[in-house]
């Protein structure tokens, strides 16, 4: 039996290794269009590779996937986060679990994961061919014929083919799969930072606030977590989550919208007012700049005071009702104009792809083309940050590799 795997990324290697383990006599070949394999794994987690998340509650795990979450229950029951961690540990990659549930190799180096995959492929006899982009798949009586973009590669027939090409930034990149009868969900960016070219907040680049709530004005979308102010706008887990939840809406808005920031995280207006009143009562003669609520940094606190026209040297006891209202409002309902998106380092994630309606999720087999399977981000599955996207690659790759 000949098995072709199209795409040399996370899902591709996982599917190929699984296929070879289940069918040791088969010839398994990974075809990668570029010169290097596992490029996104290399930069994942800032080069440390956030391999998975330690969450074991499947409904909670599925909630991390804005697209595909409900359907993934069947997938995670077959190959869970626990299974993924055991898979790597049993192959000589010790792992560490952070307080935020993110799982990394103990080496804190993504090369450990890449070396593991390459080592497994050498051990099992999985072949890897680079600069081998696929132009088309043609069903044959005895399998599937792969046609290559490079004329140096002659068309080749395989009994089974697994597509793991990753996310396509443009819909045209999925036409070859649509031609086979698959339903396609239009791809748009997910997991990106917010550009704010007209906002003065960028002068605070480097400031981190550990717990904020961010929301898209005019929608019900919101997210919580750390926020990082950058020289171009805002980033950090809270912003990245929000971009993931709102991927399609923000695309429709052409990435021009207002983001609302609650610097007090999810505190209610009554709670915020109580905190401010307590400061006013206990420190009436202290100036505003010297008493910073909610652990805000001095740079950010001064910026917020200036933004709501309150002098930093004004005393807390002199604020009055109007001044307290200004402070309460800026802390809970601060707003910034966003004009564009920026990629999250090189960890670009795409929302959209081959619709899960075209896939049998018990086997990852195509409903439109016999002998064809799918795994990874080429499917309409994407998640927030935290190791979830790679977990989807491991789970779908493992199931697809069994070729049931």
């Amino acid at each position: 039996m000949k098995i072709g795997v199209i795409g040399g990324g996370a899902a591709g290697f996982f599917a190929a290794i699984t296929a070879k383990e289940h069918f040791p006599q088969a010839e398994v070949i990974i075809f990668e269009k570029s010169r290097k394999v596992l490029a996104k794994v290399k930069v994942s987690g800032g080069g440390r590779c956030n391999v998975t998340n330690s969450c074991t509650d499947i409904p909670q795990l599925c909630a991390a996937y804005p697209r595909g979450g409900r359907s993934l229950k069947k997938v995670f029951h077959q190959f869970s986060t626990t299974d993924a961690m055991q898979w790597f540990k049993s192959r000589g990659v010790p792992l560490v679990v952070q307080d935020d549930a993110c799982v990394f190799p103990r080496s804190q180096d993504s090369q450990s994961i890449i070396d593991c995959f390459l080592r497994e492929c050498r051990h099992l006899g999985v072949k890897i061919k680079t600069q081998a982009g696929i132009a088309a798949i043609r069903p044959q009586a005895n399998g599937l014929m792969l046609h290559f973009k490079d004329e140096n590669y002659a068309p080749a027939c395989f009994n089974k083919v697994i597509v793991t090409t990753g996310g396509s930034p443009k819909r045209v990149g999925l036409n070859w799969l649509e031609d086979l009868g698959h339903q396609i969900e239009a791809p748009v960016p997910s997991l990106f930072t917010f550009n704010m070219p007209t906002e003065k907040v960028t002068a605070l680049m480097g400031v981190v606030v550990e717990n904020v709530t961010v929301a898209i004005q005019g929608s019900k979308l919101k997210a919580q977590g750390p926020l990082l102010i950058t020289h171009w706008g805002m980033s950090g887990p809270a912003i990245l989550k929000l971009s993931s939840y709102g991927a399609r809406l923000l695309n429709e808005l052409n990435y021009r919208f207002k983001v609302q920031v609650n610097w007090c995280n999810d505190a209610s207006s009554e709670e915020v007012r109580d905190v401010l009143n307590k400061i006013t009562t206990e420190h009436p003669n202290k100036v505003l700049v010297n008493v910073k609520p909610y652990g805000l940094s001095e740079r950010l606190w001064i910026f917020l005071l200036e933004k709501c026209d309150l002098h930093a040297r004004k005393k807390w006891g002199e604020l009055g009702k109007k001044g307290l209202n200004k402070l309460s409002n800026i802390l809970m309902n601060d707003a910034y104009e966003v004009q564009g998106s920026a990629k999250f380092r090189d960890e670009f994630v795409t929302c959209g792809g081959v619709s899960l309606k075209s896939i049998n999720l018990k086997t990852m087999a195509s409903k439109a083309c016999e002998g064809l399977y799918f795994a990874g981000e080429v499917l309409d599955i994407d998640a927030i940050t935290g190791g979830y996207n790679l977990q989807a690659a491991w789970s779908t790759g493992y199931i697809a590799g069994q070729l049931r």
Side-chain angles (χ1 to χ4, degrees):
M1 180 163 67
K2 290 184 68 175
I3 302 166
V5 179
I6 307 174
F13 270 81
F14 218 83
I17 291 168
T18 302
K20 188 65 173 175
E21 287 176 337
H22 280 74
F23 304 95
Q25 301 306 315
E27 180 182 15
V28 180
I29 306 175
I30 296 173
F31 296 103
E32 167 55 40
K33 67 179 180 180
S34 64
R35 293 176 180 271
K36 290 184 178 180
V37 295
L38 299 163
K40 283 183 71 174
V41 171
K42 180 68 175 174
V43 299
S44 166
R48 297 189 297 138
C49 193
N50 187 179
V51 291
T52 185
N53 192 282
S54 64
C55 175
T56 57
D57 181 84
I58 290 181
Q60 184 182 338
L61 184 62
C62 291
Y65 297 81
R67 267 71 51 182
R70 292 179 183 176
S71 302
L72 284 172
K73 287 181 181 180
K74 300 175 185 176
V75 172
F76 292 141
H77 276 296
Q78 293 189 64
F79 194 84
S80 66
T81 55
T82 303
D83 294 325
M85 291 173 70
Q86 181 56 36
W87 193 95
F88 285 106
K89 288 177 182 177
S90 68
R91 288 162 177 79
V93 183
L95 305 173
V96 292
V97 181
Q98 295 186 165
D99 292 341
D100 60 1
C102 292
V103 181
F104 289 87
R106 186 190 293 166
S107 66
Q108 299 292 303
D109 188 349
S110 58
Q111 193 62 43
S112 297
I113 304 300
I114 294 171
D115 290 344
C116 172
F117 284 141
L118 296 177
R119 187 168 60 244
E120 286 297 303
C121 285
R122 284 194 298 270
H123 171 68
L124 295 168
V126 174
K127 298 175 183 177
I128 303 167
K129 295 187 182 296
T130 56
Q131 294 182 278
I134 305 298
I137 300 174
R138 305 285 184 224
Q140 307 288 312
N142 59 339
L144 297 166
M145 186 72 72
L146 299 187
H147 293 263
F148 297 86
K149 293 178 179 178
D150 191 331
E151 294 179 357
N152 292 323
Y153 282 101
C157 191
F158 290 81
N159 302 101
K160 305 282 187 178
V161 172
I162 308 172
V163 177
T164 61
T165 47
S168 172
K170 296 183 179 178
R171 199 183 193 288
V172 67
L174 298 165
N175 285 352
W176 64 297
L177 297 173
E178 188 173 30
D179 291 343
L180 289 168
H182 300 101
Q183 182 177 326
I184 302 298
E185 299 295 338
V188 299
S190 180
L191 281 191
F192 50 83
T193 60
F194 293 173
N195 281 346
M196 300 173 175
T198 63
E199 294 288 358
K200 295 178 181 178
V201 71
T202 55
L204 303 181
M205 60 177 289
V207 168
V208 175
V209 184
E210 288 300 329
N211 289 296
V212 304
T213 297
V214 288
I216 305 301
Q217 278 196 357
S219 80
K220 295 181 179 179
L221 295 171
K222 68 177 183 178
Q224 295 175 312
L227 181 146
L228 166 67
I229 299 172
T230 69
H231 67 274
W232 66 85
M234 290 182 179
S235 184
I239 295 295
L240 295 170
K241 285 180 193 176
L242 192 61
S243 77
S244 182
Y245 295 146
R248 294 210 176 277
L249 171 64
L250 301 186
N251 180 258
E252 291 170 7
L253 295 173
N254 198 28
Y255 305 104
R256 290 179 175 270
F257 56 92
K258 280 192 174 182
V259 61
Q260 193 166 308
V261 182
N262 183 335
W263 299 106
C264 316
N265 197 6
D266 60 349
S268 67
S269 57
E270 292 80 8
E271 289 171 332
V272 172
R273 183 56 68 89
D274 286 345
V275 167
L276 298 180
N277 282 331
K278 185 177 181 181
I279 296 174
T280 302
T281 302
E282 295 180 354
H283 308 286
N285 294 318
K286 288 191 175 181
V287 293
L288 296 179
V289 70
N290 287 343
V291 184
K292 299 173 284 293
Y294 294 98
L296 299 179
S297 71
E298 184 169 320
R299 289 174 67 200
L300 176 58
W301 181 230
I302 291 174
F303 173 82
L304 294 177
L305 290 174
E306 290 176 351
K307 192 174 180 182
C308 62
D309 297 320
L310 288 173
H311 198 283
R313 306 304 299 179
K314 191 181 187 74
K315 292 182 179 180
W316 276 92
E318 298 171 350
L319 273 176
K321 187 176 181 181
K322 187 176 180 180
L324 285 171
N325 284 340
K326 281 185 176 182
L327 273 186
S328 177
N329 189 57
I330 199 77
L331 286 170
M332 294 193 63
N333 303 299
D334 200 8
Y336 298 89
E337 192 78 36
V338 177
Q339 297 179 28
S341 64
K343 291 182 183 179
F344 173 43
R345 297 194 181 97
D346 296 312
E347 303 173 51
F348 189 52
V349 172
T350 303
C351 154
V354 175
S355 171
L356 299 185
K357 294 177 182 177
S358 295
I359 308 298
N360 178 345
L361 289 166
K362 290 183 179 179
T363 62
M364 304 312 298
S366 165
K367 293 179 180 178
C369 182
E370 188 174 350
L372 190 65
Y373 298 78
F374 288 89
E377 204 188 327
V378 67
L379 295 164
D380 185 24
I381 296 171
D382 67 285
I384 61 176
T385 58
Y388 301 106
N389 283 295
L390 279 180
Q391 180 59 46
W394 313 142
S395 295
T396 56
Y398 179 81
I399 296 168
Q402 296 176 55
L403 302 168
R404 289 175 289 160

